[in-house]
Amino acid sequence: MTCDHPIEHLVTVRSSRRLNSQTTVLTLEAPLIAATAAPGQFVNLSCDHFLRRPIGIMAVLRHEGLVELGIRVVGDGTRELAQKRPGDQLSVLGPLGHGFRLEGLQRVITVGGGSGVFPLFFVQQVCRERGIDALAVCGYRSIDESILRDEYAGLGCQTLFAADAGDLDVAGHAADALKQLLCQLPPVPQTAVLTCGPRPMMQAVAALARDYQLPCQVSLEERMACGIGVCLVCACQVREADGATGYQRCCVDGPVFDAEVVVW
Ligand SMILES: Cc1cc2nc3c(=O)[nH]c(=O)nc-3n(C[C@H](O)[C@H](O)[C@H](O)COP(=O)(O)OP(=O)(O)OC[C@H]3O[C@@H](n4cnc5c(N)ncnc54)[C@H](O)[C@@H]3O)c2cc1C
Ligand code: FES
């Protein structure tokens, strides 16, 4: 059901699935979003607190018109959203922003840290649909904080799980696991690294991709308000074509950018 704004939808929560004490997956009945969303795009969700909250799209079930969102509780807004129950209604703006570019790629390596594994799951889903060879690296603090491990395994892609605590496949950060993977992988033309997660992790991933001469796309999580390019709250520093630094709006020019243009 749509409201007067073309991208504002009043949607119903179909189900809520608790992954651990901090994270929940919400499934929304949102056929218009499910029909058009691309991986890396996000929605802006209303809540009872000031401003909407931006959340990346984790997966879509296009035929059923369902959209899944992974929510990690960090403050009042995400706490309220994670407590939504089947039948609750939400105002949702979306799908918003520019997602990951998969056109022409033969192989994709996704590198997610913490809640960054949510939007990259959608990338993996679409790679599978399009027959793109896809590998995944997922980094967490510890096995207790790990999320979506069964879901990634269920996609059938080769996945390396890393934990700072040393209790998963690789001890260390997602970038450490990516290094291990890149050392072993035979080169394939048109390979790209796609990353989402804490900024220092993405910076390390981008540097590593550069060392291996692989293009890298990063999904930035700037603070946002409107989510539709009007308020400029989400301005992020980028390198322009002439080498000068400038600003772009993360919500409409991103949130996915080529790593080479990001001013870290
Ligand atoms: C494009 C994008 C995609 C995202 N995808 C996900 C996702 O898939 N899963 C997930 O759990 N989280 C995601 N986030 C982060 C999520 O938006 C914030 O955790 C959330 O807005 C925090 O709101 P809060 O009220 O709980 O926290 P508070 O800290 O109380 O929020 C106060 C204000 O700051 C803003 N804010 C705080 N942290 C962030 C942040 N990291 N990014 C943007 N705005 C922030 C809030 O929107 C709110 O306006 C994403 C952020 C962006 C920009
Ligand atoms: S959040 Fe308002 S311009 Fe980007």
Side-chain angles (χ1 to χ4, degrees):
M1 183 175 165
T2 51
C3 303
D4 51 354
H5 192 288
I7 55 164
E8 181 176 2
H9 313 269
L10 184 63
V11 308
T12 302
V13 176
R14 167 71 66 89
S15 62
S16 163
R17 181 163 58 99
R18 192 95 177 255
L19 300 184
N20 60 31
S21 60
Q22 292 165 315
T23 50
T24 295
V25 172
L26 278 189
T27 303
L28 306 179
E29 295 171 4
L32 294 176
I33 299 175
T36 56
Q41 288 192 298
F42 66 99
V43 291
N44 217 5
L45 305 168
S46 64
C47 61
D48 287 341
H49 303 277
F50 181 55
L51 299 174
R52 290 172 179 267
R53 299 300 189 263
I55 299 289
I57 296 171
M58 176 188 131
V60 299
L61 288 83
R62 293 197 202 275
H63 296 304
E64 288 129 277
L66 300 176
V67 172
E68 291 189 318
L69 307 176
I71 297 174
R72 181 182 159 85
V73 175
V74 297
D76 290 342
T78 45
R79 182 172 306 107
E80 181 195 320
L81 291 168
Q83 285 169 354
K84 295 288 176 193
R85 289 291 159 257
D88 287 351
Q89 292 203 309
L90 273 176
S91 159
V92 179
L93 287 184
L96 301 175
H98 279 99
F100 292 101
R101 290 170 309 284
L102 302 177
E103 294 70 30
L105 295 178
Q106 287 189 37
R107 184 167 67 187
V108 160
I109 306 171
T110 61
V111 186
S115 53
V117 304
F118 286 129
L120 293 172
F121 185 77
F122 192 11
V123 174
Q124 291 288 342
Q125 190 188 34
V126 170
C127 285
R128 194 161 89 152
E129 287 165 10
R130 295 190 191 169
I132 300 171
D133 183 22
L135 301 96
V137 172
C138 300
Y140 314 98
R141 289 205 188 110
S142 68
I143 193 168
D144 288 342
E145 291 197 20
S146 68
I147 42 177
L148 297 193
R149 278 168 49 225
D150 290 345
E151 287 82 351
Y152 269 87
L155 282 174
C157 60
Q158 184 188 334
T159 308
L160 209 50
F161 297 105
D164 299 338
D167 45 8
L168 284 169
D169 301 335
V170 177
H173 296 282
D176 301 323
L178 175 65
K179 191 169 190 175
Q180 191 167 310
L181 189 67
L182 290 174
C183 289
Q184 300 162 358
L185 271 186
V188 166
Q190 308 304 333
T191 296
V193 175
L194 279 44
T195 185
C196 183
R199 208 172 165 98
M201 183 215 83
M202 291 200 291
Q203 188 175 1
V205 167
L208 202 52
R210 193 178 203 185
D211 289 347
Y212 280 80
Q213 296 177 329
L214 295 172
C216 179
Q217 300 174 37
V218 303
S219 182
L220 299 183
E221 277 193 13
E222 297 295 332
R223 284 186 178 247
M224 291 184 181
C226 72
I228 53 172
V230 178
C231 69
L232 305 186
V233 159
C234 65
C236 54
Q237 239 191 342
V238 294
R239 201 162 289 109
E240 309 281 10
D242 62 2
T245 49
Y247 286 90
Q248 290 199 347
R249 293 161 300 174
C250 184
C251 65
V252 287
D253 301 315
V256 177
F257 293 89
D258 282 331
E260 292 300 309
V261 309
V262 175
V263 177
W264 298 103

